[in-house]
Coordinates of all heavy atoms in Angstrom, one line a residue:
M1 N 0.8 -1.1 -0.1 CA -0.1 0.0 0.0 C 1.0 1.3 0.1 O 1.9 1.3 0.7 CB -0.9 0.0 1.3 CG -1.8 1.2 1.4 SD -3.0 1.1 2.7 CE -2.6 2.6 3.5
S2 N 0.5 2.2 -0.9 CA 1.3 3.4 -0.9 C 0.4 4.5 -0.3 O -0.7 4.5 -0.4 CB 1.6 3.7 -2.4 OG 2.2 4.9 -2.4
L3 N 1.2 5.3 0.4 CA 0.5 6.5 1.1 C 1.1 7.8 0.5 O 2.4 7.9 0.5 CB 0.7 6.3 2.6 CG -0.3 7.1 3.5 CD1 -1.7 6.5 3.4 CD2 0.1 6.9 4.9
P4 N 0.2 8.7 0.2 CA 0.8 10.1 -0.2 C 1.5 10.9 0.8 O 1.2 10.6 2.1 CB -0.4 10.9 -0.6 CG -1.6 9.9 -0.7 CD -1.2 8.7 0.1
A5 N 2.5 11.5 0.6 CA 3.5 12.3 1.5 C 2.6 13.1 2.5 O 2.9 13.0 3.7 CB 4.5 12.9 0.9
P6 N 1.6 13.8 2.1 CA 0.9 14.6 3.1 C 0.3 13.8 4.2 O 0.2 14.0 5.4 CB -0.1 15.4 2.3 CG 0.5 15.5 0.9 CD 1.2 14.2 0.7
L7 N -0.4 12.6 3.7 CA -0.9 11.8 4.8 C 0.1 11.0 5.8 O -0.1 10.9 6.9 CB -1.7 10.7 4.1 CG -3.0 11.2 3.4 CD1 -3.7 10.0 2.6 CD2 -3.9 11.9 4.3
A8 N 1.3 10.8 5.2 CA 2.3 10.4 6.0 C 2.9 11.3 7.1 O 3.0 11.0 8.3 CB 3.5 9.8 5.1
I9 N 2.8 12.5 6.6 CA 3.3 13.6 7.5 C 2.3 13.8 8.7 O 2.6 14.0 9.9 CB 3.5 14.9 6.7 CG1 4.8 14.8 5.9 CG2 3.6 16.1 7.6 CD1 5.0 15.9 4.9
I10 N 1.0 13.7 8.3 CA -0.1 13.8 9.2 C 0.0 12.6 10.3 O -0.1 12.8 11.6 CB -1.4 13.7 8.6 CG1 -1.6 15.1 7.9 CG2 -2.6 13.5 9.6 CD1 -2.9 15.2 7.0
L11 N 0.4 11.5 9.9 CA 0.7 10.3 10.8 C 1.8 10.6 11.7 O 1.6 10.3 12.9 CB 0.9 8.9 10.0 CG -0.3 8.4 9.4 CD1 0.1 7.2 8.5 CD2 -1.4 7.9 10.4
I12 N 2.8 11.2 11.2 CA 3.9 11.5 12.0 C 3.6 12.4 13.0 O 3.9 12.5 14.1 CB 5.2 12.0 11.2 CG1 5.7 10.8 10.2 CG2 6.3 12.5 12.0 CD1 6.6 11.1 9.1
I13 N 2.9 13.6 12.7 CA 2.5 14.6 13.6 C 1.6 14.1 14.6 O 1.7 14.4 15.8 CB 1.8 15.8 12.8 CG1 2.9 16.5 11.9 CG2 1.2 16.7 13.8 CD1 2.3 17.5 10.9
A14 N 0.6 13.2 14.2 CA -0.4 12.6 15.1 C 0.5 11.8 16.2 O 0.2 11.9 17.4 CB -1.5 11.8 14.5
G15 N 1.4 11.0 15.8 CA 2.2 10.2 16.6 C 3.0 11.0 17.6 O 3.2 10.7 18.8
L16 N 3.6 12.0 17.1 CA 4.5 13.0 18.0 C 3.6 13.7 19.0 O 3.9 13.9 20.2 CB 5.2 14.1 17.1 CG 6.3 13.5 16.3 CD1 6.8 14.7 15.2 CD2 7.4 13.0 17.2
W17 N 2.3 14.0 18.7 CA 1.4 14.6 19.6 C 1.2 13.6 20.7 O 1.2 14.1 21.8 CB 0.1 14.9 18.8 CG -0.9 15.4 19.7 CD1 -1.9 14.7 20.3 CD2 -1.1 16.7 20.2 NE1 -2.7 15.5 21.2 CE2 -2.3 16.7 21.1 CE3 -0.4 17.9 20.1 CZ2 -2.7 17.8 21.7 CZ3 -0.9 19.1 20.6 CH2 -2.0 19.1 21.5
S18 N 0.9 12.4 20.4 CA 0.7 11.4 21.5 C 1.9 11.3 22.4 O 1.9 11.2 23.7 CB 0.4 10.0 21.0 OG -0.9 10.1 20.4
I19 N 3.1 11.3 21.9 CA 4.4 11.0 22.5 C 4.6 12.2 23.5 O 5.2 12.2 24.4 CB 5.5 10.8 21.7 CG1 5.2 9.4 20.9 CG2 6.8 10.8 22.4 CD1 5.2 8.2 21.7
L20 N 4.2 13.4 23.0 CA 4.6 14.7 23.8 C 3.5 15.0 24.7 O 3.8 15.6 25.7 CB 4.7 15.8 22.8 CG 5.9 15.7 21.9 CD1 5.8 16.8 20.7 CD2 7.2 15.7 22.5
V21 N 2.2 14.8 24.6 CA 1.1 15.1 25.3 C 1.0 14.3 26.5 O 0.7 14.7 27.8 CB -0.2 15.3 24.5 CG1 -1.4 15.6 25.4 CG2 0.0 16.5 23.6
W22 N 0.9 13.0 26.4 CA 0.6 12.0 27.4 C 1.6 12.1 28.6 O 1.2 11.8 29.7 CB 0.5 10.6 26.9 CG -0.9 10.4 26.2 CD1 -1.0 10.4 24.8 CD2 -2.2 10.4 26.7 NE1 -2.4 10.3 24.5 CE2 -3.1 10.3 25.8 CE3 -2.7 10.5 28.1 CZ2 -4.4 10.1 25.8 CZ3 -4.0 10.4 28.3 CH2 -4.9 10.3 27.1
P23 N 2.9 12.3 28.5 CA 3.7 12.4 29.7 C 3.4 13.5 30.7 O 3.5 13.2 31.9 CB 5.2 12.5 29.1 CG 5.1 11.9 27.8 CD 3.7 12.3 27.3
A24 N 2.9 14.6 30.1 CA 2.4 15.7 31.1 C 1.2 15.2 31.8 O 1.1 15.5 33.0 CB 2.1 16.9 30.1
F25 N 0.3 14.4 31.2 CA -0.8 14.0 31.9 C -0.4 13.0 33.0 O -0.9 12.9 34.1 CB -1.9 13.3 30.9 CG -3.2 12.8 31.6 CD1 -4.0 13.6 32.3 CD2 -3.4 11.4 31.6 CE1 -5.2 13.0 32.9 CE2 -4.5 10.9 32.1 CZ -5.4 11.8 32.8
L26 N 0.6 12.1 32.6 CA 1.1 11.1 33.6 C 1.6 11.7 34.9 O 1.5 11.3 35.9 CB 2.3 10.3 32.9 CG 3.1 9.4 33.8 CD1 2.0 8.2 34.3 CD2 4.1 8.7 33.1
K27 N 2.4 12.9 34.7 CA 2.9 13.6 35.8 C 1.7 14.1 36.7 O 1.8 14.0 37.9 CB 3.6 14.8 35.3 CG 5.0 14.5 34.7 CD 5.7 15.6 33.9 CE 6.4 16.5 34.9 NZ 7.1 17.6 34.0
D28 N 0.6 14.6 36.1 CA -0.6 15.1 36.9 C -1.1 13.8 37.6 O -1.6 14.0 38.8 CB -1.6 15.7 36.0 CG -1.1 17.0 35.5 OD1 -0.2 17.6 36.2 OD2 -1.7 17.5 34.6
V29 N -1.3 12.7 37.0 CA -1.8 11.4 37.5 C -0.9 11.0 38.8 O -1.5 10.7 39.8 CB -2.0 10.3 36.6 CG1 -2.2 8.9 37.2 CG2 -3.0 10.6 35.6
L30 N 0.4 11.0 38.6 CA 1.2 10.5 39.8 C 1.2 11.5 40.9 O 1.3 11.0 42.1 CB 2.7 10.4 39.2 CG 2.7 9.3 38.1 CD1 4.3 9.3 37.7 CD2 2.5 7.9 38.7
K31 N 0.9 12.7 40.7 CA 0.9 13.8 41.8 C -0.6 13.8 42.4 O -0.6 14.3 43.5 CB 1.1 15.2 41.2 CG 2.5 15.5 40.8 CD 2.6 17.0 40.4 CE 3.9 17.1 39.5 NZ 3.9 18.5 39.0
S32 N -1.5 13.1 41.9 CA -2.9 13.3 42.3 C -3.0 12.6 43.6 O -2.4 11.4 43.9 CB -3.8 12.7 41.3 OG -5.2 12.6 41.9
P33 N -3.8 13.0 44.5 CA -4.1 12.2 45.8 C -4.9 11.0 45.5 O -4.9 10.2 46.3 CB -4.8 13.4 46.7 CG -5.2 14.4 45.8 CD -4.3 14.4 44.6
K34 N -5.5 11.1 44.4 CA -6.5 9.9 44.1 C -5.5 8.7 43.6 O -5.9 7.6 43.5 CB -7.3 10.2 43.0 CG -8.4 11.2 43.5 CD -9.4 11.4 42.4 CE -8.9 12.3 41.2 NZ -9.8 12.6 40.2
A35 N -4.2 9.0 43.4 CA -3.4 7.9 42.8 C -2.9 6.8 43.8 O -2.5 5.7 43.3 CB -2.1 8.6 42.3
R36 N -2.9 7.1 45.1 CA -2.4 6.3 46.1 C -3.5 6.3 47.2 O -3.9 7.3 47.6 CB -1.1 6.6 46.6 CG 0.0 6.5 45.6 CD 1.4 6.3 46.0 NE 2.3 6.1 44.8 CZ 2.6 4.9 44.3 NH1 2.1 3.8 44.8 NH2 3.4 4.9 43.5
D37 N -3.6 5.1 47.8 CA -4.4 5.0 49.1 C -3.7 5.5 50.3 O -2.5 5.8 50.3 CB -5.1 3.7 49.2 CG -4.0 2.6 49.5 OD1 -2.8 2.8 49.8 OD2 -4.4 1.4 49.4
E38 N -4.3 5.3 51.5 CA -3.7 5.8 52.8 C -2.4 5.0 53.1 O -1.5 5.5 53.9 CB -4.6 5.8 53.9 CG -5.3 4.5 54.1 CD -6.5 4.2 53.3 OE1 -7.0 5.2 52.6 OE2 -7.0 3.1 53.3
N39 N -2.2 3.8 52.5 CA -1.1 2.9 52.7 C 0.0 3.2 51.7 O 1.1 2.5 51.8 CB -1.5 1.4 52.7 CG -2.4 1.1 53.9 OD1 -2.3 1.7 55.0 ND2 -3.4 0.3 53.7
G40 N -0.2 4.0 50.6 CA 0.7 4.2 49.6 C 0.7 3.4 48.5 O 1.5 3.4 47.5
A41 N -0.3 2.5 48.5 CA -0.5 1.5 47.4 C -1.3 2.2 46.2 O -2.0 3.1 46.3 CB -1.2 0.3 47.8
A42 N -0.9 1.7 45.0 CA -1.6 2.3 43.9 C -3.1 2.0 43.9 O -3.4 0.9 44.2 CB -0.9 1.7 42.6
T43 N -3.8 3.0 43.6 CA -5.3 2.8 43.4 C -5.6 2.4 42.0 O -4.9 2.5 41.1 CB -6.0 4.0 43.8 OG1 -5.6 5.2 42.9 CG2 -5.6 4.6 45.2
R44 N -7.0 2.1 41.8 CA -7.5 1.8 40.6 C -7.4 3.1 39.6 O -7.1 2.8 38.4 CB -8.9 1.4 40.6 CG -9.5 0.8 39.3 CD -10.8 0.4 39.6 NE -10.7 -0.9 40.4 CZ -11.3 -2.0 40.2 NH1 -12.2 -2.1 39.2 NH2 -11.2 -3.0 41.0
Y45 N -7.5 4.2 40.2 CA -7.3 5.4 39.3 C -6.0 5.5 38.6 O -5.9 5.8 37.5 CB -7.6 6.7 40.3 CG -7.2 8.1 39.7 CD1 -8.1 8.6 38.9 CD2 -5.9 8.6 39.9 CE1 -7.8 9.9 38.4 CE2 -5.6 9.9 39.4 CZ -6.5 10.5 38.5 OH -6.2 11.7 38.0
M46 N -5.0 5.2 39.4 CA -3.4 5.2 38.9 C -3.3 4.1 37.9 O -2.9 4.3 36.8 CB -2.5 5.0 40.0 CG -1.1 5.0 39.4 SD 0.2 4.6 40.6 CE 0.5 6.1 41.3
T47 N -3.9 2.9 38.2 CA -3.8 1.7 37.3 C -4.4 1.9 36.0 O -3.8 1.8 35.0 CB -4.2 0.5 38.0 OG1 -3.6 0.2 39.3 CG2 -3.9 -0.7 37.1
V48 N -5.6 2.5 36.1 CA -6.4 2.7 34.7 C -5.6 3.8 33.9 O -5.4 3.6 32.7 CB -7.7 3.1 35.1 CG1 -8.5 3.6 33.9 CG2 -8.5 1.9 35.7
N49 N -5.2 4.8 34.6 CA -4.6 6.0 33.9 C -3.2 5.5 33.3 O -2.9 5.9 32.3 CB -4.5 7.2 34.6 CG -5.8 7.9 34.6 OD1 -6.3 8.4 33.7 ND2 -6.5 8.0 35.9
L50 N -2.4 4.7 34.0 CA -1.2 4.1 33.5 C -1.3 3.3 32.3 O -0.7 3.4 31.3 CB -0.5 3.4 34.6 CG 0.2 4.2 35.7 CD1 0.8 3.4 36.8 CD2 1.2 5.1 35.2
M51 N -2.4 2.5 32.4 CA -2.8 1.6 31.2 C -3.1 2.5 29.9 O -2.7 2.2 28.8 CB -3.9 0.6 31.5 CG -3.4 -0.4 32.5 SD -1.8 -1.3 32.0 CE -2.5 -2.1 30.5
K52 N -3.9 3.5 30.3 CA -4.5 4.4 29.1 C -3.3 5.2 28.5 O -3.1 5.2 27.3 CB -5.4 5.3 29.7 CG -6.0 6.4 28.7 CD -7.2 7.1 29.3 CE -6.8 7.9 30.5 NZ -8.0 8.8 31.0
I53 N -2.3 5.7 29.4 CA -1.3 6.4 28.8 C -0.3 5.6 28.0 O 0.2 5.9 27.0 CB -0.6 7.2 30.1 CG1 -1.6 8.3 30.6 CG2 0.8 7.8 29.7 CD1 -1.1 8.7 32.0
S54 N 0.1 4.5 28.6 CA 1.0 3.6 28.0 C 0.5 3.1 26.7 O 1.2 3.0 25.7 CB 1.4 2.4 28.9 OG 0.3 1.7 29.2
T55 N -0.8 2.7 26.7 CA -1.4 2.3 25.4 C -1.4 3.3 24.3 O -1.1 3.3 23.1 CB -2.9 1.8 25.5 OG1 -2.9 0.7 26.4 CG2 -3.5 1.3 24.2
A56 N -1.7 4.6 24.7 CA -1.7 5.7 23.8 C -0.3 6.0 23.4 O -0.1 6.4 22.2 CB -2.3 6.9 24.5
M57 N 0.7 5.9 24.1 CA 2.0 6.2 23.7 C 2.6 5.1 22.7 O 3.3 5.4 21.9 CB 3.0 6.4 24.9 CG 2.6 7.7 25.8 SD 3.6 8.1 27.0 CE 5.2 8.4 26.1
V58 N 2.2 3.8 23.0 CA 2.6 2.8 22.2 C 2.0 3.0 20.8 O 2.7 2.8 19.7 CB 2.2 1.3 22.8 CG1 2.3 0.3 21.6 CG2 3.1 1.0 23.9
F59 N 0.6 3.3 20.8 CA 0.1 3.5 19.5 C 0.6 4.9 18.9 O 0.7 4.8 17.6 CB -1.5 3.7 19.6 CG -2.3 2.5 19.8 CD1 -3.2 2.4 20.8 CD2 -2.0 1.4 19.0 CE1 -4.0 1.1 20.9 CE2 -2.7 0.2 19.2 CZ -3.7 0.1 20.1
G60 N 1.0 5.8 19.6 CA 1.6 7.0 19.0 C 3.0 6.7 18.4 O 3.3 7.1 17.2
L61 N 3.7 5.8 19.1 CA 5.0 5.4 18.5 C 4.8 4.7 17.2 O 5.5 4.8 16.2 CB 5.8 4.6 19.5 CG 7.2 4.1 19.0 CD1 8.1 5.3 18.7 CD2 7.8 3.3 20.1
A62 N 3.8 3.6 17.3 CA 3.5 2.9 16.0 C 3.1 3.8 15.0 O 3.4 3.6 13.7 CB 2.4 1.8 16.3
T63 N 2.3 4.7 15.1 CA 1.9 5.7 14.3 C 2.9 6.5 13.5 O 3.1 6.8 12.3 CB 0.8 6.7 14.8 OG1 -0.3 5.9 15.4 CG2 0.2 7.7 13.7
I64 N 4.0 7.0 14.4 CA 5.2 7.6 13.8 C 6.0 6.7 13.0 O 6.3 7.0 11.9 CB 6.1 8.1 15.1 CG1 5.4 9.2 15.9 CG2 7.4 8.5 14.5 CD1 6.2 9.6 17.1
V65 N 6.2 5.5 13.4 CA 6.9 4.5 12.5 C 6.2 4.2 11.3 O 6.8 4.2 10.1 CB 7.0 3.2 13.2 CG1 7.6 2.1 12.4 CG2 7.9 3.3 14.6
I66 N 4.8 4.0 11.3 CA 4.1 3.9 10.0 C 4.2 5.1 9.1 O 4.4 4.9 7.9 CB 2.6 3.6 10.3 CG1 2.5 2.2 10.9 CG2 1.8 3.6 9.1 CD1 1.1 2.0 11.6
G67 N 4.0 6.3 9.7 CA 4.2 7.5 8.9 C 5.6 7.6 8.3 O 5.7 8.0 7.1
I68 N 6.7 7.3 9.0 CA 8.0 7.4 8.6 C 8.3 6.3 7.4 O 8.8 6.8 6.4 CB 9.1 7.3 9.6 CG1 9.0 8.5 10.5 CG2 10.6 7.1 9.1 CD1 9.9 8.4 11.8
R69 N 7.8 5.3 7.6 CA 7.9 4.1 6.6 C 7.2 4.6 5.2 O 7.6 4.3 4.2 CB 7.5 2.9 7.1 CG 8.4 2.3 8.2 CD 8.3 0.9 8.5 NE 8.3 0.1 7.2 CZ 8.3 -1.3 7.3 NH1 8.3 -1.9 8.4 NH2 8.4 -1.9 6.3
A70 N 6.0 5.2 5.5 CA 5.3 5.5 4.3 C 6.0 6.7 3.5 O 5.9 6.7 2.4 CB 3.9 5.9 4.7
L71 N 6.6 7.6 4.4 CA 7.2 8.8 3.7 C 8.5 8.3 2.9 O 8.8 8.8 1.9 CB 7.6 9.7 4.9 CG 8.0 11.1 4.4 CD1 6.8 11.8 3.6 CD2 8.2 12.0 5.6
V72 N 9.2 7.4 3.7 CA 10.5 7.0 3.0 C 10.3 6.0 1.8 O 10.9 6.1 0.9 CB 11.4 6.3 4.1 CG1 12.6 5.6 3.5 CG2 11.8 7.3 5.2
G73 N 9.3 5.3 1.9 CA 8.9 4.5 0.7 C 8.8 3.1 1.1 O 8.9 2.0 0.9

């Protein structure tokens, strides 16, 4: 499958967006009082958000790779 260069660039930008935006949200999640219970153990809030963030970043990285491969040929 061949992808036009403008679409490949959009994929790269979308992937970079995910890689750059989600770590800031991760910092907020880790600082939140909802992230740990009174014993210091991780709560469901932290676990769910860590899974969401890691999945989004993996998809972002995959999107970057697909965009670069489409751009290079």
Side-chain angles (χ1 to χ4, degrees):
M1 180 175 127
S2 179
L3 201 62
L7 293 179
I9 292 170
I10 289 172
L11 284 175
I12 294 168
I13 292 169
L16 287 172
W17 175 262
S18 288
I19 297 296
L20 295 174
V21 168
W22 284 108
F25 182 64
L26 174 62
K27 288 165 82 173
D28 290 340
V29 167
L30 294 176
K31 288 183 201 174
S32 173
K34 296 184 286 185
R36 299 205 177 267
D37 63 12
E38 56 276 346
N39 297 325
T43 61
R44 188 173 294 226
Y45 172 82
M46 179 190 271
T47 305
V48 167
N49 280 297
L50 287 176
M51 293 304 298
K52 179 172 56 174
I53 293 165
S54 61
T55 301
M57 290 184 71
V58 167
F59 281 137
L61 183 60
T63 305
I64 291 171
V65 169
I66 292 167
I68 290 172
R69 289 191 60 171
L71 195 60
V72 172

